[in-house]
Tab-separated table of all heavy atoms in Angstrom:
chain	number	residue	atom	x	y	z
A	95	PHE	N	-33.258	117.125	148.739
A	95	PHE	CA	-32.324	118.039	149.259
A	95	PHE	C	-30.986	117.264	149.534
A	95	PHE	O	-29.909	117.751	149.166
A	95	PHE	CB	-32.850	118.726	150.534
A	95	PHE	CG	-31.744	119.592	151.193
A	95	PHE	CD1	-31.289	120.740	150.605
A	95	PHE	CD2	-31.272	119.236	152.422
A	95	PHE	CE1	-30.383	121.587	151.166
A	95	PHE	CE2	-30.266	120.043	153.018
A	95	PHE	CZ	-29.799	121.200	152.425
A	96	ALA	N	-31.030	116.102	150.150
A	96	ALA	CA	-29.899	115.346	150.388
A	96	ALA	C	-29.156	115.044	149.079
A	96	ALA	O	-27.942	115.215	149.112
A	96	ALA	CB	-30.274	113.997	151.019
A	97	ASN	N	-29.939	114.615	148.051
A	97	ASN	CA	-29.278	114.318	146.818
A	97	ASN	C	-28.610	115.679	146.303
A	97	ASN	O	-27.502	115.642	145.785
A	97	ASN	CB	-30.251	113.898	145.839
A	97	ASN	CG	-29.662	113.570	144.468
A	97	ASN	OD1	-28.772	112.805	144.451
A	97	ASN	ND2	-30.251	114.040	143.455
A	98	PHE	N	-29.221	116.750	146.424
A	98	PHE	CA	-28.704	118.106	145.960
A	98	PHE	C	-27.397	118.493	146.585
A	98	PHE	O	-26.558	119.113	145.959
A	98	PHE	CB	-29.835	119.126	146.208
A	98	PHE	CG	-29.507	120.487	145.664
A	98	PHE	CD1	-29.509	120.750	144.340
A	98	PHE	CD2	-29.128	121.560	146.515
A	98	PHE	CE1	-29.213	122.102	143.825
A	98	PHE	CE2	-28.754	122.868	146.064
A	98	PHE	CZ	-28.865	123.049	144.757
A	99	ILE	N	-27.331	118.149	147.859
A	99	ILE	CA	-25.973	118.566	148.560
A	99	ILE	C	-25.069	117.309	148.646
A	99	ILE	O	-24.059	117.364	149.401
A	99	ILE	CB	-26.250	119.010	150.037
A	99	ILE	CG1	-26.973	117.872	150.873
A	99	ILE	CG2	-27.135	120.231	150.082
A	99	ILE	CD1	-26.810	118.146	152.415
A	100	ASP	N	-25.428	116.294	147.836
A	100	ASP	CA	-24.490	115.102	147.829
A	100	ASP	C	-24.369	114.420	149.191
A	100	ASP	O	-23.333	113.748	149.440
A	100	ASP	CB	-23.046	115.555	147.289
A	100	ASP	CG	-22.455	114.301	146.619
A	100	ASP	OD1	-23.150	113.441	146.192
A	100	ASP	OD2	-21.176	114.202	146.713
A	101	ALA	N	-25.424	114.456	150.081
A	101	ALA	CA	-25.482	113.641	151.231
A	101	ALA	C	-25.978	112.267	150.802
A	101	ALA	O	-26.869	112.166	149.977
A	101	ALA	CB	-26.473	114.283	152.280
A	102	ARG	N	-25.346	111.229	151.216
A	102	ARG	CA	-25.706	109.848	150.674
A	102	ARG	C	-26.677	109.080	151.650
A	102	ARG	O	-26.980	107.980	151.323
A	102	ARG	CB	-24.418	109.087	150.459
A	102	ARG	CG	-23.387	109.560	149.337
A	102	ARG	CD	-23.799	110.407	148.302
A	102	ARG	NE	-24.900	109.853	147.399
A	102	ARG	CZ	-25.745	110.622	146.638
A	102	ARG	NH1	-25.656	111.926	146.491
A	102	ARG	NH2	-26.662	109.941	145.857
A	103	LEU	N	-26.999	109.693	152.689
A	103	LEU	CA	-27.881	108.959	153.642
A	103	LEU	C	-29.016	109.924	154.235
A	103	LEU	O	-28.715	111.003	154.671
A	103	LEU	CB	-27.053	108.266	154.740
A	103	LEU	CG	-27.769	107.338	155.677
A	103	LEU	CD1	-26.934	106.191	156.024
A	103	LEU	CD2	-28.302	108.033	157.014
A	104	VAL	N	-30.225	109.377	154.278
A	104	VAL	CA	-31.261	110.182	154.936
A	104	VAL	C	-31.892	109.346	155.997
A	104	VAL	O	-32.057	108.072	155.901
A	104	VAL	CB	-32.458	110.446	153.854
A	104	VAL	CG1	-33.687	111.016	154.498
A	104	VAL	CG2	-31.909	111.475	152.743
A	105	VAL	N	-32.244	109.968	157.121
A	105	VAL	CA	-32.963	109.329	158.294
A	105	VAL	C	-34.330	109.888	158.407
A	105	VAL	O	-34.594	111.051	158.284
A	105	VAL	CB	-32.206	109.725	159.611
A	105	VAL	CG1	-32.797	108.971	160.781
A	105	VAL	CG2	-30.705	109.532	159.513
A	106	SER	N	-35.249	108.969	158.491
A	106	SER	CA	-36.714	109.400	158.733
A	106	SER	C	-37.248	108.578	159.896
A	106	SER	O	-36.930	107.440	160.241
A	106	SER	CB	-37.557	109.024	157.459
A	106	SER	OG	-38.821	109.222	157.725
A	107	HIS	N	-38.125	109.373	160.634
A	107	HIS	CA	-38.941	108.642	161.678
A	107	HIS	C	-40.106	107.860	161.011
A	107	HIS	O	-40.507	108.262	159.891
A	107	HIS	CB	-39.480	109.648	162.726
A	107	HIS	CG	-38.446	110.304	163.585
A	107	HIS	ND1	-38.708	111.073	164.604
A	107	HIS	CD2	-36.990	110.187	163.574
A	107	HIS	CE1	-37.567	111.440	165.282
A	107	HIS	NE2	-36.529	110.880	164.569
A	108	VAL	N	-40.645	106.895	161.700
A	108	VAL	CA	-41.675	106.081	161.127
A	108	VAL	C	-43.033	106.736	161.413
A	108	VAL	O	-43.952	106.607	160.623
A	108	VAL	CB	-41.649	104.602	161.732
A	108	VAL	CG1	-42.798	103.796	161.357
A	108	VAL	CG2	-40.267	103.955	161.220
A	109	GLY	N	-43.178	107.415	162.571
A	109	GLY	CA	-44.465	107.960	162.964
A	109	GLY	C	-45.056	107.091	164.075
A	109	GLY	O	-44.583	106.000	164.411
A	110	ARG	N	-46.042	107.573	164.694
A	110	ARG	CA	-46.762	106.923	165.822
A	110	ARG	C	-48.279	107.023	165.633
A	110	ARG	O	-48.731	107.742	164.816
A	110	ARG	CB	-46.376	107.663	167.134
A	110	ARG	CG	-44.964	107.534	167.573
A	110	ARG	CD	-44.782	108.071	168.883
A	110	ARG	NE	-43.344	108.273	169.077
A	110	ARG	CZ	-42.807	109.368	169.662
A	110	ARG	NH1	-43.542	110.319	170.054
A	110	ARG	NH2	-41.472	109.404	169.814
A	111	LEU	N	-48.953	106.163	166.528
A	111	LEU	CA	-50.350	106.321	166.642
A	111	LEU	C	-50.708	107.003	167.937
A	111	LEU	O	-50.229	106.563	168.930
A	111	LEU	CB	-51.042	104.920	166.511
A	111	LEU	CG	-52.565	104.951	166.669
A	111	LEU	CD1	-53.226	105.641	165.495
A	111	LEU	CD2	-53.088	103.394	166.780
A	112	SER	N	-51.605	108.061	167.881
A	112	SER	CA	-51.944	108.706	169.062
A	112	SER	C	-52.542	107.793	170.075
A	112	SER	O	-53.316	106.862	169.671
A	112	SER	CB	-52.980	109.848	168.743
A	112	SER	OG	-53.576	110.285	169.864
A	113	ARG	N	-52.210	108.024	171.326
A	113	ARG	CA	-52.802	107.120	172.365
A	113	ARG	C	-54.410	107.264	172.492
A	113	ARG	O	-55.015	106.437	173.081
A	113	ARG	CB	-52.154	107.454	173.780
A	113	ARG	CG	-52.769	108.703	174.357
A	113	ARG	CD	-51.913	109.338	175.420
A	113	ARG	NE	-50.983	110.297	174.960
A	113	ARG	CZ	-50.177	111.118	175.646
A	113	ARG	NH1	-50.269	111.032	176.968
A	113	ARG	NH2	-49.396	111.945	175.082
A	114	ASP	N	-54.875	108.303	171.817
A	114	ASP	CA	-56.328	108.515	171.858
A	114	ASP	C	-57.078	107.484	171.053
A	114	ASP	O	-58.281	107.231	171.169
A	114	ASP	CB	-56.737	109.948	171.367
A	114	ASP	CG	-56.298	110.954	172.331
A	114	ASP	OD1	-55.910	110.575	173.467
A	114	ASP	OD2	-56.447	112.124	171.984
A	115	TYR	N	-56.364	106.815	170.082
A	115	TYR	CA	-57.029	105.757	169.303
A	115	TYR	C	-56.808	104.440	169.930
A	115	TYR	O	-55.837	104.217	170.701
A	115	TYR	CB	-56.313	105.632	167.889
A	115	TYR	CG	-56.673	106.780	166.963
A	115	TYR	CD1	-55.684	107.698	166.561
A	115	TYR	CD2	-57.954	106.943	166.504
A	115	TYR	CE1	-56.001	108.712	165.633
A	115	TYR	CE2	-58.250	107.978	165.620
A	115	TYR	CZ	-57.271	108.913	165.179
A	115	TYR	OH	-57.629	109.796	164.289
A	116	PRO	N	-57.783	103.482	169.687
A	116	PRO	CA	-57.702	102.177	170.324
A	116	PRO	C	-56.567	101.343	169.663
A	116	PRO	O	-56.210	101.535	168.547
A	116	PRO	CB	-59.055	101.550	170.017
A	116	PRO	CG	-59.612	102.259	168.848
A	116	PRO	CD	-59.005	103.620	168.879
A	117	GLU	N	-56.035	100.498	170.513
A	117	GLU	CA	-54.957	99.562	170.095
A	117	GLU	C	-55.144	98.860	168.699
A	117	GLU	O	-54.259	98.654	167.983
A	117	GLU	CB	-54.859	98.526	171.162
A	117	GLU	CG	-53.848	97.352	170.982
A	117	GLU	CD	-52.477	97.662	171.455
A	117	GLU	OE1	-52.296	98.342	172.409
A	117	GLU	OE2	-51.523	97.249	170.767
A	118	ARG	N	-56.408	98.534	168.428
A	118	ARG	CA	-56.727	97.731	167.215
A	118	ARG	C	-56.331	98.476	165.965
A	118	ARG	O	-56.234	97.914	164.906
A	118	ARG	CB	-58.211	97.331	167.178
A	118	ARG	CG	-59.183	98.411	167.029
A	118	ARG	CD	-60.632	98.000	166.914
A	118	ARG	NE	-61.480	99.158	166.908
A	118	ARG	CZ	-61.722	99.969	165.925
A	118	ARG	NH1	-61.204	99.696	164.787
A	118	ARG	NH2	-62.490	100.937	166.050
A	119	LEU	N	-56.063	99.851	166.092
A	119	LEU	CA	-55.786	100.611	164.904
A	119	LEU	C	-54.321	100.717	164.563
A	119	LEU	O	-53.847	101.319	163.650
A	119	LEU	CB	-56.358	102.018	165.050
A	119	LEU	CG	-57.855	102.105	164.884
A	119	LEU	CD1	-58.375	103.482	165.125
A	119	LEU	CD2	-58.363	101.556	163.508
A	120	VAL	N	-53.530	100.113	165.535
A	120	VAL	CA	-52.048	100.106	165.285
A	120	VAL	C	-51.679	99.469	163.929
A	120	VAL	O	-50.834	99.980	163.212
A	120	VAL	CB	-51.297	99.204	166.501
A	120	VAL	CG1	-49.985	98.799	166.061
A	120	VAL	CG2	-51.345	100.093	167.751
A	121	GLU	N	-52.369	98.371	163.650
A	121	GLU	CA	-52.012	97.668	162.379
A	121	GLU	C	-52.317	98.639	161.163
A	121	GLU	O	-51.519	98.655	160.245
A	121	GLU	CB	-52.920	96.488	162.263
A	121	GLU	CG	-52.364	95.386	161.481
A	121	GLU	CD	-53.275	94.123	161.473
A	121	GLU	OE1	-53.881	93.821	162.521
A	121	GLU	OE2	-53.411	93.532	160.419
A	122	ARG	N	-53.395	99.421	161.320
A	122	ARG	CA	-53.581	100.274	160.125
A	122	ARG	C	-52.470	101.367	160.039
A	122	ARG	O	-52.182	101.749	158.976
A	122	ARG	CB	-54.984	100.936	160.346
A	122	ARG	CG	-55.455	101.676	159.013
A	122	ARG	CD	-56.692	102.526	159.251
A	122	ARG	NE	-57.852	101.705	159.522
A	122	ARG	CZ	-59.114	102.115	159.622
A	122	ARG	NH1	-59.277	103.477	159.381
A	122	ARG	NH2	-60.076	101.403	159.858
A	123	ALA	N	-52.198	101.928	161.145
A	123	ALA	CA	-51.118	102.877	161.117
A	123	ALA	C	-49.788	102.353	160.624
A	123	ALA	O	-49.086	103.077	159.859
A	123	ALA	CB	-50.883	103.437	162.620
A	124	VAL	N	-49.431	101.125	161.049
A	124	VAL	CA	-48.165	100.491	160.541
A	124	VAL	C	-48.330	100.325	159.026
A	124	VAL	O	-47.404	100.683	158.252
A	124	VAL	CB	-47.911	99.142	161.236
A	124	VAL	CG1	-46.784	98.438	160.489
A	124	VAL	CG2	-47.656	99.383	162.683
A	125	GLY	N	-49.529	100.033	158.562
A	125	GLY	CA	-49.717	99.853	157.046
A	125	GLY	C	-49.544	101.173	156.416
A	125	GLY	O	-48.879	101.281	155.354
A	126	ASN	N	-50.016	102.277	156.981
A	126	ASN	CA	-49.852	103.612	156.391
A	126	ASN	C	-48.349	103.886	156.321
A	126	ASN	O	-47.966	104.401	155.246
A	126	ASN	CB	-50.563	104.631	157.300
A	126	ASN	CG	-51.952	104.599	157.264
A	126	ASN	OD1	-52.554	104.023	156.316
A	126	ASN	ND2	-52.698	105.291	158.224
A	127	ALA	N	-47.693	103.692	157.378
A	127	ALA	CA	-46.261	104.019	157.475
A	127	ALA	C	-45.528	103.189	156.396
A	127	ALA	O	-44.662	103.765	155.657
A	127	ALA	CB	-45.597	103.739	158.770
A	128	ALA	N	-45.805	101.912	156.328
A	128	ALA	CA	-45.116	101.051	155.384
A	128	ALA	C	-45.337	101.455	153.910
A	128	ALA	O	-44.401	101.479	153.156
A	128	ALA	CB	-45.564	99.554	155.555
A	129	SER	N	-46.516	101.937	153.595
A	129	SER	CA	-46.788	102.304	152.230
A	129	SER	C	-46.097	103.607	151.918
A	129	SER	O	-45.438	103.751	150.842
A	129	SER	CB	-48.274	102.203	151.939
A	129	SER	OG	-48.729	103.492	151.742
A	130	ALA	N	-46.108	104.587	152.866
A	130	ALA	CA	-45.395	105.842	152.531
A	130	ALA	C	-43.882	105.573	152.447
A	130	ALA	O	-43.166	106.007	151.665
A	130	ALA	CB	-45.669	106.848	153.783
A	131	LEU	N	-43.402	104.798	153.354
A	131	LEU	CA	-41.885	104.475	153.443
A	131	LEU	C	-41.465	103.767	152.151
A	131	LEU	O	-40.384	103.951	151.591
A	131	LEU	CB	-41.595	103.560	154.664
A	131	LEU	CG	-41.662	104.364	156.003
A	131	LEU	CD1	-41.594	103.413	157.181
A	131	LEU	CD2	-40.585	105.425	156.176
A	132	THR	N	-42.323	102.904	151.582
A	132	THR	CA	-41.967	102.245	150.459
A	132	THR	C	-41.774	103.102	149.217
A	132	THR	O	-40.890	103.039	148.488
A	132	THR	CB	-43.066	101.095	150.048
A	132	THR	OG1	-43.121	100.210	151.149
A	132	THR	CG2	-42.697	100.323	148.780
A	133	SER	N	-42.615	104.164	149.142
A	133	SER	CA	-42.503	105.112	148.029
A	133	SER	C	-41.354	106.006	148.215
A	133	SER	O	-40.640	106.411	147.390
A	133	SER	CB	-43.834	105.904	147.752
A	133	SER	OG	-43.885	106.932	148.739
A	134	LEU	N	-40.982	106.233	149.493
A	134	LEU	CA	-39.794	107.112	149.776
A	134	LEU	C	-38.507	106.192	149.548
A	134	LEU	O	-37.444	106.859	149.076
A	134	LEU	CB	-39.843	107.540	151.271
A	134	LEU	CG	-41.032	108.537	151.563
A	134	LEU	CD1	-41.203	108.619	153.088
A	134	LEU	CD2	-40.667	109.906	150.914
A	135	GLN	N	-38.560	105.004	149.812
A	135	GLN	CA	-37.438	104.090	149.504
A	135	GLN	C	-37.187	104.095	148.016
A	135	GLN	O	-36.017	104.189	147.578
A	135	GLN	CB	-37.720	102.704	150.049
A	135	GLN	CG	-36.813	101.566	149.539
A	135	GLN	CD	-35.425	101.678	149.893
A	135	GLN	OE1	-35.066	102.415	150.844
A	135	GLN	NE2	-34.457	100.975	149.224
A	136	SER	N	-38.267	104.027	147.260
A	136	SER	CA	-38.084	104.001	145.804
A	136	SER	C	-37.535	105.260	145.208
A	136	SER	O	-36.668	105.240	144.378
A	136	SER	CB	-39.510	103.565	145.212
A	136	SER	OG	-39.716	104.120	143.986
A	137	LEU	N	-38.011	106.456	145.772
A	137	LEU	CA	-37.429	107.675	145.307
A	137	LEU	C	-35.879	107.712	145.665
A	137	LEU	O	-35.048	108.133	144.850
A	137	LEU	CB	-38.132	108.797	146.057
A	137	LEU	CG	-37.476	110.262	145.997
A	137	LEU	CD1	-37.642	110.712	144.510
A	137	LEU	CD2	-38.148	111.216	146.850
A	138	SER	N	-35.581	107.262	146.866
A	138	SER	CA	-34.112	107.251	147.348
A	138	SER	C	-33.267	106.404	146.405
A	138	SER	O	-32.196	106.792	146.028
A	138	SER	CB	-33.984	106.767	148.773
A	138	SER	OG	-34.870	107.497	149.588
A	139	GLU	N	-33.866	105.241	146.065
A	139	GLU	CA	-33.098	104.275	145.181
A	139	GLU	C	-32.835	104.965	143.814
A	139	GLU	O	-31.702	104.980	143.275
A	139	GLU	CB	-33.992	103.071	144.945
A	139	GLU	CG	-33.597	101.903	145.779
A	139	GLU	CD	-34.522	100.737	145.631
A	139	GLU	OE1	-34.825	100.353	144.413
A	139	GLU	OE2	-34.915	100.178	146.667
A	140	ASP	N	-33.852	105.702	143.255
A	140	ASP	CA	-33.696	106.353	142.016
A	140	ASP	C	-32.599	107.391	142.023
A	140	ASP	O	-31.875	107.688	141.127
A	140	ASP	CB	-34.991	107.134	141.662
A	140	ASP	CG	-36.080	106.099	141.162
A	140	ASP	OD1	-35.747	104.910	141.101
A	140	ASP	OD2	-37.304	106.433	141.120
A	141	LEU	N	-32.488	108.103	143.273
A	141	LEU	CA	-31.502	109.134	143.412
A	141	LEU	C	-30.175	108.632	143.954
A	141	LEU	O	-29.205	109.413	144.090
A	141	LEU	CB	-32.028	110.249	144.319
A	141	LEU	CG	-33.284	110.993	143.831
A	141	LEU	CD1	-33.792	112.011	144.842
A	141	LEU	CD2	-32.999	111.643	142.452
A	142	GLY	N	-30.061	107.329	144.288
A	142	GLY	CA	-28.805	106.766	144.799
A	142	GLY	C	-28.441	107.185	146.226
A	142	GLY	O	-27.413	107.295	146.643
Side-chain angles (χ1 to χ4, degrees):
F95 174 68
N97 182 52
F98 184 73
I99 61 165
D100 204 27
R102 295 338 297 164
L103 187 141
V104 170
V105 185
S106 172
H107 289 188
V108 170
R110 293 187 192 137
L111 178 66
S112 165
R113 75 195 94 171
D114 290 354
Y115 285 116
E117 172 87 37
R118 67 179 172 81
L119 291 174
V120 162
E121 209 178 317
R122 190 188 298 187
V124 170
N126 287 344
S129 114
L131 291 167
T132 301
S133 81
L134 294 161
Q135 162 66 17
S136 149
L137 169 67
S138 303
E139 263 175 45
D140 291 347
L141 297 176

